[in-house]
Amino acid sequence: LPLSKEIRVVVLPFENLGPAEDEYFAAGITDAITARLGVIRGLAVISRQSAMQYKKREKTAQQIANELRVDYILEGTVQRERPSDPNSRVRIIPQLVKAPNDTHVWAQAYDNNMSEVFLVQSDLAERVAQALNIALVEPERRALRSRPTENMEAYDYFLRGNEYEHRGVEENDFKIAVQMYERAVELDPKFALAYAQLSRSHAKMYWQNYDRTGQRLTMAKEAVDKALQLAPDSPETHLALGSYYYHCQWDWDRALEEFAIARRSQPNNSDLLSLIGFVQRRQGKFDEALANIKRASELDPLSNYLTYELGQTFMLMRNYPEALRCLNRAISLAPDLFDPCNLMALLYLCWEGSTEKARAVVEEALKTVRSPEESLIIDLLITLDVYEGNYPKALDRLPLKSEDIDGQFSFIPRAIQYAGIYGYMNENELAKKYYDEGRNILEAKIQQQPDDARFHSTLGIAYAGLGRREDAIREGKIGVNLLPTTKDAWRGYCRAKDLAQIYVMVGEFDSAIDQIEFLLSIPGELSIPLLRLDP
């Protein structure tokens, strides 16, 4: 639906009138109401992350309406008679406000046993639809009236799990979320929604590199299989299964099939739309990806994460002015995070080849970011030193990093980083010593994981540094063959770039130019200004 035709609503965090330890419960009720309203076609419900910014509501309805571009605000209070008792009576008082002129449209007091909480949520959603003159169709009524569990203690653990799941991407939060969901399904083995969330937490642990074991994969799959067996038609089940194929199996087509099923009943789920966009980006379908990430961002306008991802997508598509606009906004939404600043510095390198502007971004960031000794910042400063030809300074910084570069896009032992810089300084003996050290590490890695394209690509660079021309090209090509851009547009791009570097290092300049022309013809981070900078 185009934005003008739909009614935009935000559910502000319901105020907890109970003690502080019931905060998670009020947040959980708010989320549940948001999710139910999200089922209704014609309603664009603002995502949780943006709504949470108004928890300490110091702004008027008009100010909130302007910032989120919403027509209506649903707010309210929640109080449990006996705090932390999952079977307590609970009092929920919602009110619907027409935002532009702050007029009350509808209000209602619900005072029920906790076992009636789902009835309250569905009645509330139906009354909001009624107040907005939206006629519900039968599948929406059914979805609104669903009862995820009959066990209120299990539901309580589920809400606690959600509280940790929503906190961010810290390993400990995921671990606690997993424990809470596990307790929920222990108390109610038929709780499909909790199994779906449990699977997603396991999948995120795997994706974020906190636990890349086969055991974690199995746990993610078993939980989603259980959800599928219990609730085969639930959009949350298909969202979890899509997340499993995306985060654990890197199976883009199957992930999108599952997301498409979920999208039929949740067309305005910002989380779902962004996942679809991220998968399409991996497939190299950048225009489609951009449209979905943009739509997700419209439904979650205060999410620094989505604004950052939108900026990153524009940057890979080499639309640098739009990328800059998004990154400025992402930084203003979360000035304490370095990721958007890092990307903005890279943007100036790609767009204008300006190390001065990139350095200015770092200087500014260091005033506000948390933990400024982070290795990401050191990596960036080393890159800037190298681009400016200040190799001794780059060497001075390298010991500040305790680890190799080890992410989903590259694995570069520190020895290889030393070798590269010594090579630029024509310190050939030292360069060879470090390339050899790196070679040892990489050959051992390939013994253990022969299908990891990152190791082959970097080993090709080490061989090139050691003058082993044939071996270098062979390993570079293995990296590209294991992970071509057709299989993963983003990680494949990194392998193709490594091969270009290998060709340059071994003096195969025609092949290097062919490779570079290919890289410049598809979305990615390489640009002419960057090529001029990079030694």
Side-chain angles (χ1 to χ4, degrees):
L1 286 170
L3 280 181
S4 55
K5 290 283 193 293
E6 61 195 8
I7 299 170
R8 284 171 69 87
V9 179
V10 61
V11 183
L12 293 185
F14 276 38
E15 189 187 346
N16 168 36
L17 298 181
E21 66 259 29
D22 258 5
E23 207 55 61
Y24 76 93
F25 178 73
I29 294 294
T30 309
D31 287 347
I33 292 166
T34 304
R36 297 220 181 210
L37 287 173
V39 166
I40 302 170
R41 273 171 201 279
L43 266 196
V45 184
I46 297 297
S47 188
R48 172 187 203 279
Q49 191 177 345
S50 289
M52 285 304 284
Q53 320 276 328
Y54 300 97
K55 190 163 165 57
K56 299 269 182 283
R57 170 142 187 208
E58 284 147 6
K59 294 185 174 176
T60 66
Q62 281 104 327
Q63 286 172 317
I64 295 172
N66 288 339
E67 287 176 15
L68 297 177
R69 303 199 334 279
V70 291
D71 309 297
Y72 292 90
I73 292 171
L74 184 68
E75 56 188 3
T77 58
V78 177
Q79 185 169 19
R80 279 203 281 198
E81 201 175 83
R82 295 185 302 283
S84 299
D85 176 356
N87 297 306
S88 164
R89 282 185 78 76
V90 62
R91 187 174 175 79
I92 300 174
I93 306 179
Q95 56 181 357
L96 185 66
V97 174
K98 190 167 185 176
N101 53 12
D102 209 352
T103 53
H104 283 229
V105 179
W106 167 82
Q108 169 100 22
Y110 295 94
D111 197 340
N112 300 68
N113 280 332
M114 190 59 203
S115 58
E116 297 304 309
V117 75
F118 305 124
L119 201 61
V120 170
Q121 290 166 10
S122 56
D123 184 69
L124 193 160
E126 286 186 30
R127 283 173 185 259
V128 168
Q130 215 175 347
L132 301 178
N133 291 319
I134 295 174
L136 296 174
V137 292
E138 196 43 48
E140 291 172 343
R141 282 188 200 283
R142 273 202 307 277
L144 289 180
R145 289 175 183 171
S146 66
R147 296 179 66 87
T149 178
E150 297 301 328
N151 185 317
M152 289 303 109
E153 195 184 348
Y155 187 61
D156 195 71
Y157 276 105
F158 172 74
L159 295 183
R160 289 176 191 268
N162 287 349
E163 172 71 11
Y164 283 96
E165 169 72 20
H166 290 319
R167 282 189 183 181
V169 293
E170 297 298 317
E171 181 176 8
N172 203 41
D173 292 335
F174 286 140
K175 279 184 172 167
I176 297 173
V178 163
Q179 286 168 8
M180 296 296 161
Y181 295 137
E182 280 177 339
R183 186 79 185 103
V185 296
E186 213 174 279
L187 289 161
D188 177 5
K190 293 197 170 72
F191 195 169
L193 200 54
Y195 278 114
Q197 281 295 91
L198 174 59
S199 174
R200 289 192 70 189
S201 290
H202 283 312
K204 286 177 186 172
M205 291 277 286
Y206 186 83
W207 176 255
Q208 295 286 348
N209 272 336
Y210 294 136
D211 179 8
R212 294 305 288 267
T213 59
Q215 188 189 3
R216 184 66 63 182
L217 280 182
T218 304
M219 292 192 290
K221 186 69 167 76
E222 282 173 354
V224 77
D225 283 347
K226 195 76 180 145
L228 201 57
Q229 182 194 328
L230 293 164
D233 300 328
S234 151
E236 287 84 6
T237 296
H238 290 284
L239 176 52
L241 188 53
S243 299
Y244 170 78
Y245 285 128
Y246 170 25
H247 290 133
C248 300
Q249 298 297 339
W250 311 71
D251 187 336
W252 317 135
D253 292 334
R254 291 189 76 172
L256 286 181
E257 279 168 27
E258 295 301 327
F259 291 152
I261 297 169
R263 190 175 186 169
R264 276 178 225 146
S265 42
Q266 295 191 346
N268 289 326
N269 179 336
S270 151
D271 185 22
L272 175 58
L273 289 165
S274 62
L275 287 170
I276 291 170
F278 298 156
V279 173
Q280 287 167 331
R281 202 165 57 179
R282 295 285 180 155
Q283 291 180 315
K285 298 175 182 168
F286 276 81
D287 290 325
E288 291 169 50
L290 186 68
N292 281 310
I293 298 168
K294 222 182 214 168
R295 178 66 179 142
S297 184
E298 285 168 1
L299 291 163
D300 197 354
L302 300 185
S303 162
N304 65 288
Y305 170 66
L306 285 179
T307 311
Y308 164 81
E309 289 292 352
L310 198 53
Q312 187 157 42
T313 310
F314 276 125
M315 184 175 144
L316 293 169
M317 295 171 83
R318 301 187 182 85
N319 183 341
Y320 299 128
E322 277 301 306
L324 182 63
R325 193 183 60 75
C326 292
L327 292 175
N328 271 319
R329 180 161 164 75
I331 290 168
S332 72
L333 287 169
D336 59 332
L337 299 181
F338 187 67
D339 278 338
C341 305
N342 186 51
L343 197 60
M344 189 189 271
L346 294 177
L347 172 73
Y348 282 125
L349 299 175
C350 293
W351 188 7
E352 300 174 14
S354 172
T355 55
E356 297 79 12
K357 285 190 178 178
R359 277 198 190 278
V361 172
V362 180
E363 293 301 313
E364 201 49 42
L366 290 174
K367 296 175 189 170
T368 51
V369 298
R370 294 193 298 250
S371 61
E373 74 291 337
E374 211 170 295
S375 67
L376 196 59
I377 300 177
I378 298 164
D379 278 336
L380 177 58
L381 290 171
I382 290 170
T383 300
L384 293 176
D385 293 333
V386 167
Y387 286 177
E388 289 170 350
N390 191 345
Y391 305 127
K393 183 75 182 153
L395 283 175
D396 287 345
R397 286 192 212 271
L398 258 176
L400 301 172
K401 298 175 45 170
S402 54
E403 70 278 342
D404 306 323
I405 292 174
D406 184 6
Q408 54 166 293
F409 298 108
S410 297
F411 176 80
I412 308 169
R414 239 174 15 144
I416 299 284
Q417 297 167 61
Y418 272 110
I421 296 169
Y422 280 124
Y424 298 141
M425 296 168 77
N426 293 318
E427 297 266 7
N428 296 332
E429 287 312 306
L430 275 168
K432 282 203 160 136
K433 170 182 171 285
Y434 281 107
Y435 275 128
D436 205 44
E437 201 177 299
R439 174 195 62 76
N440 257 320
I441 294 166
L442 290 155
E443 285 176 349
K445 289 270 184 198
I446 288 169
Q447 285 281 305
Q448 296 163 337
Q449 289 165 276
D451 292 339
D452 194 321
R454 301 172 309 157
F455 301 148
H456 289 282
S457 294
T458 313
L459 180 59
I461 290 169
Y463 284 151
L466 292 166
R468 292 170 58 175
R469 183 179 157 281
E470 269 80 23
D471 293 336
I473 294 170
R474 182 194 70 236
E475 290 300 322
K477 283 183 173 172
I478 291 174
V480 167
N481 291 336
L482 280 170
L483 202 56
T485 53
T486 48
K487 189 172 173 185
D488 185 333
W490 206 341
R491 290 187 303 151
Y493 197 91
C494 298
R495 304 293 69 82
K497 198 160 139 256
D498 288 340
L499 182 57
Q501 185 182 333
I502 290 165
Y503 282 137
V504 172
M505 290 174 76
V506 300
E508 292 277 345
F509 299 130
D510 288 345
S511 300
I513 286 184
D514 289 345
Q515 194 69 12
I516 289 166
E517 282 180 344
F518 164 67
L519 289 163
L520 291 172
S521 73
I522 58 172
E525 61 192 34
L526 209 60
S527 71
I528 302 286
L530 193 67
L531 284 168
R532 291 201 177 107
L533 271 183
D534 190 330

